[in-house]
Amino acid sequence: MQKPSLPKGTRDFGPIQMARRNYILDQIRSTFQLFGYNQIETPAMENLSTLTGKYGDEGDQLLFKILNSGDYLKNVNAADLEKGAAATLSKVSEKGLRYDLTVPFARFVVMNRNDLTFPFKRFQIQPVWRADRPQKGRYREFYQCDADVVGTDSLVCEAEIILMIREVFAKLKLTDYSIKLNNRKILTGISEAIDAAGKEGPLCVAIDKLDKIGWEKVQEELLSRDFSSNSLEKLEPLINLSEDFAGKIQFLKKFLSGSEVGLQGIAELEELAATLIGMGENLDFVDFDVMLARGLSYYTGAIFEVKVNNASIGSVSGGGRYDNLTGVFGLSGVSGVGFSFGVDRLYDVLEELNLFPEESLQTSKILLCHFDEKGFAYGLSLVQRFRKAGIKAELYPDLAKVKKQFEFATKKGIPFVGICGDNEISENLISIKNLETGNQESMTLETAFAKLS
RNA sequence: GUGAUUGUAGCUCAGCUGGUUAGAGCGCCGGUUUGUGGAUCCGGAGGUCGCCGGUUCGAACCCGGUCUUUCACCCCA
């Protein structure tokens, strides 16, 4: 007999975890729907040609590939094997597991472009798979929870993303967090302003680590990437910039005065703020962070990242605006803005802060207990009546000692037991006992229904 | 992908420089209690020491491999 085990980086979700995860997803789903987003799903597997080349070389390595069915070696010859894994791959695998939800969404938009009404708002909550090396909070299978709107440049979308984040966090009772906001154009502007035009890629990668490794190390990294010390000097005043929203805008207008793109980024940011005000909202929780970069991805406009302040987990949500989402699939001119909640991380945060509601585990309200076959038969006749009265109820299914039945109820978190004994049967009553307080009283069924509903 | 780290009962962990039959707490099962759970006390079950191989008279302990866990890097949710 072999001991069963789980593949690296995957986990089971038991009843409690599922109840809690559904609690989070329910808040997110209802919020997305409140803002007019429609849910879609795409297959777990995609053609490898859809996935490869979209995430860079590193990303391609992290794709889970699916071996072809049947004799998957039939197209492979010795020459292929000599050329190595990369050359052989295309002959043994033509499908892979999805790596994120964005690329499948882009594929979906292109394939359905004639049936979709633009601007198209969609959300998608599905697992993705990455052949990464697992660590705490990083798994090989995890859920992503994306919302995107494509086919419009309106900054209303950005404003609504901020509102949705605030809505979800309020529903989850999270009160101490910040929505970091920046604009990719500002980063481009900065690279121009420090005489390093065109190098915003490496610049972003480096300053994205500012929180983690500090200014000293970032400087080292920038120097090793061919930034001049002159550039670093010019960059320095931005590092410790601590003004309020308006103050930062003022500073950057001056700093970026020579950069058209940079000023455009500032203008977009101001318009975003104005849009929120126009909606009767405000800039609560929003933190304009000039150093927010979000790696090297395809973002071209606003970028967001959300951090819960008193928790040990990194960002729990992020996103941004991109031009040309669908370009690689031959449909250009579709721009959009999207963001995503890290459900697994939110779970960890809520657990750490003890914010899951008591009743997230839905269980029966009452367990009918009995002493003998007569009581069992009586319970059998009652259990459906409880259910028809809308009360989650169950009958202990075996003849067993009362102690065992009560312990069963206690362990499952069932708050009441109903006792079906000779006394109750003869008077057509039921004794209801509150397991927490120990109080017990006999009553008619109607009274019991009223008490428990 | 690079470098570390972890694995002993259902859970959390002891187990000396290699030496008889591998332990504890909690949990579980049964009894104390034949219409009343959580407490006390008593009893019981449960481990091929992650797996494979090697060294040795002898391995939970040493060595090699492999899987898994955790961590840093890379990258990312």
Side-chain angles (χ1 to χ4, degrees):
Chain A
M1 199 183 72
Q2 57 162 7
K3 282 187 186 170
S5 64
L6 237 36
K8 186 196 289 234
T10 66
R11 50 240 148 102
D12 285 325
F13 293 94
I16 296 171
Q17 287 100 317
M18 280 309 293
R20 292 179 165 183
R21 213 175 62 183
N22 281 332
Y23 164 72
I24 297 175
L25 291 180
D26 285 347
Q27 316 310 322
I28 294 176
R29 195 179 296 117
S30 62
T31 303
F32 286 161
Q33 284 165 344
L34 187 65
F35 281 77
Y37 285 72
N38 298 131
Q39 186 165 20
I40 69 162
E41 289 202 355
T42 62
M45 63 183 95
E46 294 275 352
N47 289 328
L48 223 36
S49 58
T50 303
L51 299 173
T52 48
K54 310 297 187 298
Y55 309 105
D57 290 344
E58 300 237 4
D60 285 357
Q61 285 178 357
L62 298 181
L63 286 173
F64 273 108
K65 289 98 182 172
I66 297 174
L67 217 45
N68 290 340
S69 315
D71 180 7
Y72 50 83
L73 284 179
K74 66 170 180 270
N75 295 323
V76 178
N77 55 43
D80 295 325
L81 289 174
E82 251 171 60
K83 277 186 248 166
T88 313
L89 176 64
S90 64
K91 305 214 171 178
V92 298
S93 169
E94 52 193 25
K95 293 181 290 294
L97 296 176
R98 76 168 98 77
Y99 178 89
D100 68 2
L101 299 178
T102 307
V103 165
F105 174 52
R107 194 220 74 226
F108 176 90
V109 169
V110 172
M111 289 179 65
N112 295 282
R113 64 185 119 174
N114 295 323
D115 302 320
L116 297 175
T117 308
F118 292 96
F120 178 55
K121 294 167 134 180
R122 88 85 170 75
F123 76 95
Q124 190 170 351
I125 300 172
Q126 291 190 271
V128 304
W129 294 269
R130 296 183 186 181
D132 208 351
R133 199 176 283 202
Q135 294 179 24
K136 181 146 206 118
R138 289 177 67 169
Y139 305 96
R140 294 185 137 188
E141 177 187 64
F142 61 94
Y143 268 78
Q144 281 194 337
C145 197
D146 277 24
D148 290 79
V149 32
V150 294
T152 170
D153 293 325
S154 168
L155 287 170
V156 172
C157 305
E158 276 86 337
E160 288 191 343
I161 284 175
I162 289 171
L163 296 178
M164 284 193 285
I165 290 170
R166 294 211 297 226
E167 173 94 14
V168 167
F169 277 44
K171 281 177 176 166
L172 295 176
K173 310 247 184 318
L174 285 164
T175 52
D176 189 10
Y177 62 93
S178 52
I179 304 173
K180 296 192 170 187
L181 178 66
N182 196 6
N183 193 301
R184 202 52 178 268
K185 291 179 178 132
I186 292 176
L187 290 165
T188 305
I190 290 173
S191 72
E192 289 177 8
I194 65 170
D195 302 324
K199 289 203 264 187
E200 68 257 43
L203 180 67
C204 289
V205 172
I207 63 177
D208 200 39
K209 299 176 189 161
L210 189 61
D211 272 356
K212 230 178 184 175
I213 62 177
W215 173 230
E216 293 289 316
K217 297 264 181 182
V218 170
Q219 277 178 299
E220 278 173 37
E221 179 161 345
L222 286 173
L223 285 172
S224 76
R225 288 177 188 264
D226 283 344
F227 283 79
S228 66
S229 48
N230 177 38
S231 294
L232 294 187
E233 246 170 66
K234 290 190 172 174
L235 186 61
E236 177 122 34
L238 285 175
I239 301 301
N240 296 313
L241 183 65
S242 64
E243 302 266 350
D244 59 357
F245 191 86
K248 285 177 188 166
I249 297 270
Q250 277 316 110
F251 179 88
L252 280 165
K253 273 187 179 165
K254 227 177 276 168
F255 191 85
L256 297 173
S257 55
S259 161
E260 197 183 323
V261 189
L263 290 175
Q264 196 186 335
I266 297 285
E268 286 182 12
L269 215 53
E270 284 186 297
E271 190 184 333
L272 172 53
T275 304
L276 279 171
I277 304 298
M279 297 171 91
E281 289 285 340
N282 51 42
L283 288 173
D284 288 356
F285 299 107
V286 177
D287 173 23
F288 173 30
D289 181 354
V290 187
M291 288 295 118
L292 174 67
R294 282 193 65 74
L296 242 184
S297 33
Y298 39 77
Y299 296 120
T300 53
I303 45 187
F304 318 87
E305 193 161 289
V306 185
K307 227 182 118 35
V308 177
N309 287 331
N310 38 13
S312 57
I313 307 266
S315 72
V316 294
S317 174
R321 175 171 287 277
Y322 41 80
D323 293 333
N324 208 14
L325 170 73
T326 53
V328 280
F329 296 120
L331 179 65
S332 57
V334 178
S335 78
V337 53
F339 77 111
S340 148
F341 284 107
V343 182
D344 297 285
R345 288 189 170 179
L346 271 175
Y347 185 104
D348 291 343
V349 168
L350 292 194
E351 189 155 67
E352 189 178 334
L353 301 180
N354 216 352
L355 287 176
F356 282 111
E358 289 266 331
E359 287 198 321
S360 18
L361 184 55
Q362 293 278 333
T363 187
S364 297
K365 196 81 182 263
I366 183 168
L367 177 74
L368 299 183
C369 300
H370 39 76
F371 303 101
D372 50 29
E373 286 181 34
K374 260 174 79 185
F376 180 78
Y378 185 59
L380 211 51
S381 75
L382 296 186
V383 63
Q384 274 299 93
R385 294 183 59 188
F386 274 95
R387 291 171 182 158
K388 282 178 180 156
I391 295 160
K392 291 195 277 275
E394 58 191 294
L395 171 72
Y396 195 83
D398 298 306
L399 291 175
K401 294 199 170 182
V402 174
K403 174 181 165 120
K404 192 167 179 174
Q405 300 182 47
F406 278 30
E407 281 176 353
F408 173 81
T410 306
K411 273 184 205 152
K412 268 190 82 174
I414 299 173
F416 294 94
V417 291
I419 291 140
C420 306
D422 291 344
N423 300 343
E424 287 79 9
I425 295 173
S426 63
E427 294 179 56
N428 208 21
L429 297 173
I430 184 148
S431 294
I432 302 290
K433 175 166 181 155
N434 181 325
L435 283 177
E436 201 182 329
T437 64
N439 291 341
Q440 176 177 338
E441 55 181 313
S442 296
M443 58 188 78
T444 65
L445 285 169
E446 284 67 27
T447 316
F449 295 158
K451 183 179 164 69
L452 295 181
S453 59

